[in-house]
Amino acid sequence: MSSESRVSVIILAAGQGTRMKSGLSKVLFTICGRPMLHYVLDAASALAPQLIAVVIGHQGREVQASVQEQWAADCPSSAGRAELGFAWQKQQKGTAHAVMSAKPLFTSENLEGDTLILYGDVPLLSGEILKGFLEEHRRERADLSLMTFMAEDPALYGRIIRDRSGAVARIVEARDLQDHERNVKEVNAGIYLVRSHLLFDLAGQVDNNNAKGEYYLTDIVGMAVERGLRVCTYGCREEAVQGINDRHALATAEGAKQREILTELALSGVTVRDPNSIYVDYGVRVGEDSVLEPSTYLRGKSVIGPGCIIGPGTLVQDSEIGQGSAVSFSVVERSRIGSHVTVGPYSHIRPDCVIEDGVLVGNFAEVKNSVIGKDSKVHHHCYLGDSTIGEGVNIGAGTVTVNYDGRHKHRTIMEDRAFIGCNANLIAPVRIGRGAYVAAGSTITSDVPEESLAIARERQVTKEGWVRKKQQEWDQGR
Ligand code: UD1
Ligand code: CA
């Protein structure tokens, strides 16, 4: 790589995000289940930079941990990718001050080529747009390029002020506008490419004589023009570079991202029955020919196999579901479900379950920290907690594993082909042997050997004619 074509990136993520009105750093707010900043990092990576410097401050430790986690997960090998560095900006004195905080991360090598500056609050930005921006910057042999867009409502964006010839003169921040500048619709997207050696020279000379008393990075544009440097603009669509400053903008951006995810799924062969009521997190995978029914949520690190029907009214969180399974009106959390399994309607698979192929988990069942073996059936109103269930087990309506003694949890084991009659209480720890039967209504307190029948209930007493006799007593006023 020639030194001229080097790219470094600075991402500004130190601000609090006052307008979010939150204790959480703005860049950690999620969009489709993923922190905003992660999208920005992805977009930046598309330029194959040598260095990505993230400026952190407000909740810096959390921001750093979150970025490092993504870095490790997305790119497990370190070969051929950017060096990732963090720069602390202890006090947030403005965007130029933030850029200066990153200077110590730049070696003399990094000072060759160009630096891309991004704000951490532009999650809809794509790598494609940045590639186009970089090409244009190089074609124009610009010293400084900035992205601009025509804002429907320029509101708090910095305005691009041009001279009579149409060339950029400077950026004026919303608070510092003079009346005649207020109508300018062309605004600053906050995305810049600057020759690296010029960047710190310019940013270091910015002052804070403005309405907010901050060191504005936007001032480097006017300074570059005054020095006779080549300054170019690159127009883009508002939707692509919208800055998220409050929760209204967050909701709008999330809606846009969600539509993008659902469109991609639909084009990959998934039926998305009602895009307005289906929510799929970034990174969730769904196999071909699966159907997502209305009011369905696929969250976290979920993977759905091909040919499944998920929903209506279903939440799948951090779970895997095999091929050809159906889950309706149910909640599945942090569990693994095999192929050709039916869950629901109205069941809750709580964390740490493994539900093997061909299992039926029927109406109103709750399962927690349990393994259910192949082809077993758990119909109707059951609670199975901390249990290990073999293959071909039949669990009758109302079966409850009594797993908690008030202090400790205990396991229930049901071996292959065991048959549990309705309304049985299995008081753990307890083992039901292979092929054993438990009579309906039993409260089982000790192990049942294989192929035996356990009955643990009062023998029925029938008092013939009891009602007639009682009636006579009542009639005689006794
Ligand atoms: C900024 C631009 C504005 C532009 C808009 C585009 C400036 C002065 N203004 O305004 O021209 O139209 O973005 O979205 O740059 N940050 C730090 N340290 C600081 C201050 C901010 O790291 O001391 C970070 C924030 O965390 C944020 C980013 O910089 O990610 C931008 O800051 P923000 O306050 O959102 O700037 P805007 O007012 O939106
Ligand atoms: Ca902003």
Side-chain angles (χ1 to χ4, degrees):
M1 191 196 301
S2 85
S3 56
E4 275 295 287
S5 60
R6 285 173 193 275
V7 181
S8 305
V9 177
I10 301 177
I11 301 178
L12 305 191
Q16 178 181 2
T18 323
R19 288 165 276 178
M20 298 301 272
K21 299 191 166 57
S22 170
L24 184 69
S25 156
K26 174 166 70 175
V27 296
L28 292 183
F29 268 80
T30 57
I31 286 183
C32 299
R34 189 184 199 222
M36 257 194 246
L37 185 56
H38 292 193
Y39 292 102
V40 178
L41 213 71
D42 266 5
S45 303
L47 298 187
Q50 62 202 2
L51 166 72
I52 298 184
V54 184
V55 180
I56 53 176
H58 185 76
Q59 289 198 332
R61 255 201 298 262
E62 288 82 352
V63 174
Q64 178 169 3
S66 164
V67 168
Q68 277 167 334
E69 191 190 319
Q70 183 207 350
W71 202 246
D74 286 4
C75 270
S77 105
S78 59
R81 65 175 170 144
E83 180 195 330
L84 178 67
F86 294 88
W88 280 87
Q89 186 198 19
K90 287 261 153 47
Q91 272 184 306
Q92 284 77 58
K93 297 184 186 168
T95 42
H97 180 254
V99 164
M100 289 311 289
S101 321
K103 193 178 173 191
L105 295 176
F106 279 69
T107 59
S108 57
E109 255 189 359
N110 289 337
L111 284 173
E112 289 162 8
D114 294 292
T115 295
L116 172 77
I117 302 150
L118 294 174
Y119 297 159
D121 65 352
V122 286
L124 300 182
L125 183 66
S126 74
E128 286 312 302
I129 291 185
L130 289 180
K131 282 184 189 166
F133 183 39
L134 180 62
E135 265 171 39
E136 179 78 1
H137 174 74
R138 292 203 166 137
R139 194 177 315 121
E140 290 285 342
R141 300 182 177 282
D143 295 307
L144 186 162
S145 299
L146 63 145
M147 278 202 197
T148 73
F149 62 91
M150 302 307 281
E152 205 146 305
D153 171 17
L156 294 176
Y157 286 114
R159 309 297 203 275
I160 307 296
I161 307 299
R162 292 181 180 269
D163 65 17
R164 283 217 185 85
S165 72
V168 179
R170 61 185 188 282
I171 298 176
V172 178
E173 286 303 291
R175 279 197 178 72
D176 304 301
L177 286 171
Q178 297 184 352
D179 279 343
H180 67 279
E181 295 164 331
R182 227 166 271 283
N183 290 332
V184 175
K185 294 267 192 206
E186 189 187 10
V187 300
N188 172 30
I191 300 165
Y192 321 81
L193 270 164
V194 189
R195 284 192 201 276
S196 304
H197 67 274
L198 282 174
L199 172 65
F200 296 111
D201 178 12
L202 290 166
Q205 289 182 32
V206 167
D207 63 32
N208 64 349
N209 298 329
N210 53 53
K212 248 178 138 183
E214 281 191 359
Y215 297 88
Y216 288 158
L217 182 63
T218 44
D219 285 354
I220 67 171
V221 173
M223 290 161 61
V225 171
E226 270 168 33
R227 283 200 201 177
L229 297 171
R230 184 155 172 71
V231 176
C232 296
T233 57
Y234 186 74
C236 56
R237 285 177 310 114
E238 175 163 9
E239 302 81 68
V241 291
Q242 185 201 3
I244 309 303
N245 295 320
D246 54 38
R247 296 194 203 214
H248 174 63
L250 181 75
T252 312
E254 183 147 38
K257 194 49 143 191
Q258 189 60 90
R259 276 194 298 282
E260 204 180 294
I261 291 172
L262 294 179
T263 305
E264 214 168 282
L265 276 183
L267 295 179
S268 76
V270 175
T271 299
V272 180
R273 192 77 75 189
D274 172 20
N276 294 318
S277 76
I278 294 173
Y279 298 84
V280 178
D281 274 357
Y282 176 92
V284 167
R285 283 181 287 147
V286 184
E288 217 169 271
D289 255 347
S290 279
V291 179
L292 304 182
E293 295 285 0
S295 297
T296 287
Y297 308 78
L298 306 181
R299 292 202 171 131
K301 296 187 180 5
S302 295
V303 180
I304 314 290
C308 291
I309 303 177
I310 311 296
T314 291
L315 165 63
V316 178
Q317 173 89 48
D318 294 312
S319 297
E320 272 174 45
I321 298 182
Q323 178 175 345
S325 292
V327 183
S328 65
F329 296 106
S330 293
V331 175
V332 179
E333 300 169 89
R334 233 177 58 216
S335 289
R336 233 173 55 226
I337 292 182
S339 296
H340 308 289
V341 169
T342 303
V343 174
Y346 311 108
S347 288
H348 187 179
I349 310 296
R350 290 171 51 200
D352 303 317
C353 288
V354 177
I355 314 265
E356 289 175 359
D357 297 351
V359 166
L360 295 179
V361 180
N363 311 261
F364 303 99
E366 176 181 340
V367 188
K368 185 212 80 174
N369 185 26
S370 291
V371 179
I372 305 185
K374 268 167 81 177
D375 300 322
S376 289
K377 294 182 173 55
V378 187
H379 278 311
H380 350 277
H381 303 272
C382 285
Y383 172 61
L384 302 175
D386 307 303
S387 56
T388 304
I389 297 163
E391 297 182 6
V393 172
N394 197 307
I395 299 175
T399 295
V400 170
T401 56
V402 184
N403 59 330
Y404 187 48
D405 60 13
R407 195 163 264 219
H408 303 291
K409 302 279 169 68
H410 303 281
R411 280 201 92 73
T412 301
I413 295 167
M414 300 178 218
E415 293 180 349
D416 295 351
R417 293 183 314 285
F419 184 99
I420 317 295
C422 291
N423 258 328
N425 297 315
L426 308 176
I427 301 195
V430 72
R431 171 189 298 267
I432 314 297
R434 272 170 168 273
Y437 270 53
V438 169
S442 293
T443 292
I444 299 295
T445 50
S446 29
D447 290 357
V448 180
E450 58 178 61
E451 293 185 353
S452 17
L453 167 68
I455 310 178
R457 62 181 185 227
E458 284 281 291
R459 184 169 283 281
Q460 180 173 331
V461 177
T462 307
K463 299 186 173 177
E464 279 187 37
W466 182 90
V467 175
R468 227 178 305 118
K469 255 170 42 204
K470 199 75 191 167
Q471 200 68 51
Q472 279 169 6
E473 286 175 19
W474 286 333
D475 289 348
Q476 289 160 14
R478 272 190 274 151

